[in-house]
Amino acid sequence: MVVSAPTPEHLTATVSRLASWLRGTEATGDLAAVARALRTGRAAMDCRLAVVAGDTAELAATLADFAGDPDGPVRAADLRDGRGTRQRLGEVPETGAFVAELWRNGRLQQLADLWLSGLDVDWSSLDGTAPAAPLASLPPSAFLRRSLWLDGPPGGRGNGARTRPAARGRRTARA
């Protein structure tokens, strides 16, 4: 099972949401469909988490552990600093055959290591499932809210002081 996000904060929030969903009544219990949807239905981003789990309860517990302590034992990677291998290893033709062989032989931990190191894996080519194979309907990725402040025009009204955006639901007069 792989999850990725643009920042560590987004990854933690998305993993927390996914753990709650897996523990709730919305989860289908089909771990293969959940894993396939996460692998093939979402883009690979720079902040990554990979988990090898035997069932949905184990997956939910591992995800909850990560969400509670992102610096704990669950393996994650932040590739934003440029240490990933995607620039070189992904372009080598033998890499695809190697990855396919790992998949066929159930070497999931090694695949997780490669993915965490920055290799973008073509998961859909590995699945060997028909295009119409069912995917789990997952909760959306988390979008973090943050306040944004705009500076006023220099020398103009506001003298560069920060201004607050209009409150929701209020109408402002237009000149």
Side-chain angles (χ1 to χ4, degrees):
M1 191 279 313
V2 295
V3 179
S4 67
T7 67
E9 295 81 16
H10 284 92
L11 182 63
T12 301
T14 296
V15 166
S16 177
R17 179 180 283 183
L18 186 58
S20 296
W21 177 78
L22 286 168
R23 287 185 170 162
T25 58
E26 296 178 53
T28 63
D30 185 2
L31 184 60
V34 169
R36 190 170 37 258
L38 287 168
R39 285 192 312 266
T40 62
R42 297 190 175 186
M45 296 184 209
D46 287 336
C47 296
R48 299 176 173 199
L49 173 82
V51 175
V52 177
D55 60 34
T56 305
E58 180 185 359
L59 177 58
T62 303
L63 295 177
D65 288 347
F66 176 80
D69 182 14
D71 296 323
V74 179
R75 297 176 32 216
D78 185 349
L79 303 175
R80 295 176 302 161
D81 61 7
R83 289 185 293 175
T85 60
R86 78 174 62 150
Q87 297 302 321
R88 293 193 174 125
L89 189 57
E91 295 175 4
V92 178
E94 294 83 4
T95 300
F98 176 64
V99 167
E101 193 65 24
L102 289 174
W103 180 260
R104 275 191 295 277
N105 291 312
R107 305 281 188 194
L108 302 179
Q109 205 59 57
Q110 288 77 14
L111 278 171
D113 290 342
L114 287 171
W115 191 74
L116 288 172
S117 71
L119 180 67
D120 287 330
V121 176
D122 182 6
W123 298 108
S124 60
S125 70
L126 299 177
D127 275 339
T129 57
L135 297 175
S137 179
L138 301 174
S141 297
F143 293 98
L144 302 180
R145 294 176 185 249
R146 60 183 176 141
S147 298
L148 298 174
W149 299 93
L150 302 175
D151 286 335
R157 205 167 126 193
N159 295 326
R162 295 184 173 226
T163 58
R164 290 181 169 245
R168 279 190 180 172
R170 277 194 192 159
R171 294 181 183 239
T172 57
R174 293 187 183 184

